[in-house]
Amino acid sequence: MTEPSTQPRPTLEAVAARAGVSRATVSRVVNGGEGVREPLVERVRRAVDELGYVPNQAARSLVTRRHDAVAVVIAEPETRVFADPFFALQLRGISKELTAHDSQLVLLLTEGRDDHARVARYLAGGHVDGALVFSLHLDDPLPRLIHGVPTVYGGRPGWSDGSRGVVYVDCDNRGGAREAVRHLVGLGRTRVAHITGPLDQTSAVDRLDGFRDVMVDVDPRLIVESDFTPGGGEDAMRELLDRCPDVDAVFAANDLTAVGAMRVLREQGRRVPEDVAVIGFDDMLPFTEQADPPLTTVRQDIEEMGRLMARLLLRGLERGAAAGVPASVVLPTTLVRRVSA
Amino acid sequence: MTEPSTQPRPTLEAVAARAGVSRATVSRVVNGGEGVREPLVERVRRAVDELGYVPNQAARSLVTRRHDAVAVVIAEPETRVFADPFFALQLRGISKELTAHDSQLVLLLTEGRDDHARVARYLAGGHVDGALVFSLHLDDPLPRLIHGVPTVYGGRPGWSDGSRGVVYVDCDNRGGAREAVRHLVGLGRTRVAHITGPLDQTSAVDRLDGFRDVMVDVDPRLIVESDFTPGGGEDAMRELLDRCPDVDAVFAANDLTAVGAMRVLREQGRRVPEDVAVIGFDDMLPFTEQADPPLTTVRQDIEEMGRLMARLLLRGLERGAAAGVPASVVLPTTLVRRVSA
DNA sequence: AAGCAAGAAGGGAGCGCTCTCAGCAATGGG
DNA sequence: CCCATTGCTGAGAGCGCTCCCTTCTTGCTT
């Protein structure tokens, strides 16, 4: 482990002395060089290079009250966060956008239920310019705690209906679900089942609503609640086959669930898609492509959602408080036909 | 998006005034309360609560030169990072440990090859107290760039042999591989193949070395280079069956590769483990448990590795530069027997 | 050639905090 | 009873930077 370099880093003052100008001029050059004449700019630039000057962010923040940093809060309880690459992809999108704006990404993972206070305190502490918050459950106490911090939510928060000022980025869960189910119906399937996600999350609720939009008056036994995991998908599928042996299509609330469901179908000798057609949601590569059989699914552009969240937040940060807040964005989904349906 | 709260946050000064003490006393209380008499401590605490005072980290850092923040640098080129939950798990481990020490996690993802300079500049800029760096490839230029920043590496860096002062956390890749291969041999298998990872990573190299330790004088056609992905595992397995139809065991460099290999084996009508035994590496749940058949593999405690990296870094940070650097840690692995071998 | 405006550079205050050091109170020993 | 000693508390400097405001150029106009 390299030791912290012992020699003190050069300050603005040092650069100014070397370039033979004032601190203020160096500051101007470092921050874009507006209103400084060319020869001086050049001289200062050289001094900066020679000394290896890097601005002290703490000192800068102290006066500007900007931090060029954004917190990403992932409030997912426990393991699910990391069972699927969902957050990883969003993080990459966010990272790209933030990097382009010279902002840093401070990652806040909540560790269990009582950890909200810590996160709230951090956000309130003015360490970051804003926050991107994920995976809120319907009863999540976090939003109330982070009052005063510009925030964009990932996925529609459960309480957002009608709340002005709440900005979120989501995909068209309901529309995507409708398209999937219509596709199944178009295939001539009549006993179409739905394995839901955890219904304390709006994405799961919205997908269920989309299912219902098409399958009005559906046999309630064809709807089984599950939890977005492969194991949950297996259990749900077993229960489904038990209740309704005549099921001929399944719309699973996400790909992992669909994969679990397909495994059970195979176990029990049902062919996919001949006997039972299956559609997932997310298009989580490479799982969908390499599933057996390759999974038909509803694609959402996860990385783009991340990028968009960051962009919305940064835009909201740029313009003054008076300029009004950006509107939420709902991204379209596309049905990707493979083999399973 | 909630607007930034317009009212200025209370300062130490304000708390001091309210409590009727000096700034210095409030500072002492806020930082642990050493050497302040009880009644005053109490009064200050109350004032802090009433005002909702939160210290300004920028001001604090400016004078202490500590940031209570650690950078996590993930230098993985492109997509692989997020195809598997590896980093996610490490991140969780790191996050837990940092949280326990009131440190923040600043995530730096490099975007492509030319991005190193940006990361290096950030680290050199003294925004963080130290860095945790992942996924170095043999030719990675990053280490040379981040001189002067206390760093712990995730995984043995390729150039670390003999370099004093390089601290890393890794699992016993070589020993784990040996155990896996010995197990296959103990099963009576004689044509044991190895599908490697990308050989510009030490983990892949070490696992290959472990394989060779046991299989001295192995038929070179039984070693196929691959890339840690399921698709790569498929290709490698196909090639392997082509070259050596008599292969009766496969040690895959990681679980994803093993899953791909098993898929091809099934396709081609070979039974696992009867005809060909398969062992993976990582024990990446839930993939290994739910693979078909459940995968025998070498488990490494990924989250623990992350936690350990953070702990090592923080410990090195605590004691002064003179105290000597912590030693690298190599965690043991364990063979987890399931069905595939 | 003198006066003036506009633009460029410098001086200096101050962001909120920590930390050293001086001051003062309380305690105990001579 | 006084002084040394210890232990709290307060005053003040200063971390490195930005930004306001003043001063000095510079280039025009008249």
Side-chain angles (χ1 to χ4, degrees):
Chain A
M1 173 155 56
T2 320
E3 293 308 327
S5 61
T6 159
Q7 55 181 347
R9 300 203 350 250
T11 70
L12 254 202
E13 194 78 50
V15 177
R18 178 160 198 124
V21 297
S22 73
R23 243 182 13 248
T25 298
V26 178
S27 176
R28 277 186 277 259
V29 171
V30 168
N31 292 294
E34 297 283 295
V36 179
R37 251 186 288 249
E38 193 41 51
L40 278 198
V41 172
E42 188 44 43
R43 236 160 68 207
V44 170
R45 290 253 159 80
R46 207 168 42 234
V48 166
D49 285 347
E50 288 167 358
L51 265 46
Y53 170 75
V54 183
N56 179 319
Q57 182 64 37
R60 182 181 274 173
S61 296
L62 183 56
V63 30
T64 60
R65 278 118 198 295
R66 300 202 71 243
H67 300 85
D68 295 319
V70 167
V72 172
V73 182
I74 299 187
E76 186 68 6
E78 288 318 301
T79 50
R80 215 213 90 218
V81 186
F82 297 134
D84 68 43
F86 195 90
F87 292 101
L89 279 169
Q90 299 231 32
L91 274 182
R92 181 167 278 292
I94 291 170
S95 166
K96 280 188 178 151
E97 190 70 22
L98 291 181
T99 297
H101 283 73
D102 281 316
S103 271
Q104 296 308 320
L105 192 171
V106 178
L107 187 62
L108 264 39
L109 304 177
T110 61
E111 322 279 356
R113 284 207 70 73
D114 299 330
D115 207 33
H116 294 297
R118 188 192 104 244
V119 172
R121 194 160 4 100
Y122 181 77
L123 293 180
H127 303 263
V128 292
D129 301 323
L132 301 174
V133 178
F134 282 101
S135 275
L136 282 182
H137 291 244
L138 286 179
D139 57 344
D140 206 300
L142 201 55
R144 280 176 295 108
L145 295 173
I146 58 177
H147 180 74
V149 181
T151 302
V152 172
Y153 292 94
R156 179 173 71 80
W159 33 263
S160 71
D161 322 78
S163 330
R164 298 153 309 118
V166 172
V167 180
Y168 64 86
V169 172
D170 207 343
C171 76
D172 183 10
N173 287 302
R174 189 162 182 166
R178 270 198 298 257
E179 192 180 354
V181 179
R182 278 205 201 100
H183 175 70
L184 292 171
V185 170
L187 254 33
R189 312 288 167 147
T190 54
R191 296 289 284 168
V192 181
H194 180 40
I195 302 177
T196 76
L199 293 177
D200 62 339
Q201 290 179 30
T202 55
S203 59
V205 172
D206 291 350
R207 291 171 198 183
L208 172 56
D209 286 346
F211 173 81
R212 283 217 160 96
D213 287 344
V214 180
M215 304 299 290
V216 282
D217 299 328
V218 66
D219 178 350
R221 291 174 308 163
L222 285 170
I223 297 177
V224 184
E225 185 167 348
S226 185
D227 60 0
F228 278 155
T229 69
E234 292 184 3
D235 296 343
M237 192 67 234
R238 264 188 269 275
E239 184 166 347
L240 212 42
L241 287 170
D242 206 46
R243 290 189 200 168
C244 311
D246 60 340
V247 58
D248 61 6
V250 176
F251 168 51
N254 75 344
D255 291 336
L256 296 178
T257 305
V259 166
M262 290 205 298
R263 193 176 306 140
V264 168
L265 286 169
R266 194 184 327 133
E267 256 175 44
Q268 311 224 350
R270 311 267 187 143
R271 291 166 306 162
V272 177
E274 293 82 354
D275 302 329
V276 182
V278 177
I279 296 190
F281 206 112
D282 288 346
D283 195 24
M284 194 153 290
L285 298 168
F287 303 97
T288 45
E289 271 182 347
Q290 306 201 348
D292 181 21
L295 187 67
T296 294
T297 189
V298 180
R299 170 181 295 164
Q300 53 173 326
D301 190 340
I302 300 176
E303 184 173 330
E304 175 64 17
M305 283 174 59
R307 201 178 296 132
L308 209 49
M309 285 178 69
R311 198 174 306 155
L312 247 45
L313 181 63
L314 292 171
R315 195 184 303 160
L317 253 29
E318 259 164 34
R319 34 208 229 185
V325 294
S328 294
V329 175
V330 175
L331 291 173
T333 58
T334 50
L335 185 69
V336 179
R337 288 206 57 185
R338 292 203 180 88
V339 181
S340 72
Chain B
M1 175 156 52
T2 320
E3 292 309 327
S5 62
T6 161
Q7 56 182 345
R9 301 197 355 244
T11 70
L12 254 202
E13 192 78 50
V15 177
R18 179 159 196 125
V21 297
S22 73
R23 244 182 12 249
T25 298
V26 178
S27 176
R28 278 187 275 259
V29 172
V30 168
N31 292 292
E34 297 283 295
V36 179
R37 251 187 288 251
E38 192 42 51
L40 277 199
V41 172
E42 187 44 43
R43 234 161 67 207
V44 171
R45 290 252 159 80
R46 204 166 46 236
V48 166
D49 286 347
E50 288 168 358
L51 264 45
Y53 170 75
V54 183
N56 179 321
Q57 182 64 36
R60 181 181 275 175
S61 296
L62 184 56
V63 30
T64 59
R65 277 118 197 295
R66 301 203 71 244
H67 299 84
D68 295 317
V70 167
V72 172
V73 181
I74 299 187
E76 187 68 6
E78 288 318 301
T79 49
R80 216 213 92 215
V81 186
F82 296 136
D84 69 43
F86 195 90
F87 292 99
L89 279 170
Q90 298 231 33
L91 273 182
R92 182 167 278 293
I94 292 169
S95 166
K96 279 187 178 151
E97 190 69 22
L98 291 182
T99 297
H101 283 73
D102 280 316
S103 270
Q104 296 307 321
L105 192 172
V106 178
L107 187 63
L108 263 38
L109 304 177
T110 60
E111 321 281 355
R113 286 205 71 72
D114 299 331
D115 208 33
H116 293 297
R118 188 191 106 245
V119 172
R121 193 160 3 100
Y122 181 77
L123 293 180
H127 303 264
V128 292
D129 300 323
L132 302 174
V133 177
F134 282 102
S135 274
L136 282 183
H137 293 243
L138 286 180
D139 58 345
D140 207 300
L142 201 55
R144 282 177 294 110
L145 295 173
I146 57 178
H147 181 73
V149 181
T151 302
V152 172
Y153 293 93
R156 179 173 70 80
W159 32 264
S160 71
D161 322 78
S163 330
R164 299 153 307 120
V166 171
V167 180
Y168 64 86
V169 173
D170 207 343
C171 76
D172 184 9
N173 287 301
R174 189 163 182 166
R178 271 198 298 259
E179 192 179 355
V181 179
R182 278 206 200 97
H183 176 69
L184 291 171
V185 171
L187 255 32
R189 311 289 167 146
T190 55
R191 297 288 285 166
V192 181
H194 179 40
I195 303 178
T196 76
L199 293 178
D200 62 339
Q201 290 179 32
T202 57
S203 59
V205 172
D206 292 351
R207 291 171 198 182
L208 171 57
D209 287 345
F211 173 80
R212 283 216 159 98
D213 287 344
V214 180
M215 305 298 289
V216 282
D217 300 325
V218 66
D219 178 350
R221 292 174 306 164
L222 284 170
I223 297 177
V224 184
E225 186 168 347
S226 185
D227 61 1
F228 278 157
T229 69
E234 292 186 2
D235 296 343
M237 194 65 234
R238 260 187 272 275
E239 185 166 347
L240 212 44
L241 287 171
D242 205 45
R243 288 189 201 169
C244 312
D246 59 339
V247 58
D248 60 6
V250 175
F251 167 51
N254 76 344
D255 290 338
L256 296 178
T257 304
V259 166
M262 290 205 298
R263 194 176 306 141
V264 168
L265 287 169
R266 195 186 322 133
E267 254 175 45
Q268 311 223 351
R270 312 267 186 142
R271 292 165 305 161
V272 176
E274 294 82 354
D275 302 328
V276 181
V278 177
I279 296 190
F281 206 113
D282 289 347
D283 196 24
M284 194 155 287
L285 298 167
F287 302 96
T288 45
E289 271 183 347
Q290 305 201 349
D292 180 22
L295 186 68
T296 293
T297 190
V298 180
R299 171 181 294 164
Q300 54 173 326
D301 190 339
I302 300 176
E303 184 172 331
E304 176 64 16
M305 284 174 60
R307 203 177 294 131
L308 209 48
M309 285 178 69
R311 199 174 306 154
L312 247 43
L313 181 63
L314 292 170
R315 195 184 304 158
L317 254 27
E318 259 165 33
R319 35 209 230 184
V325 296
S328 294
V329 176
V330 175
L331 291 173
T333 58
T334 50
L335 186 70
V336 180
R337 288 206 55 184
R338 294 205 179 87
V339 181
S340 71

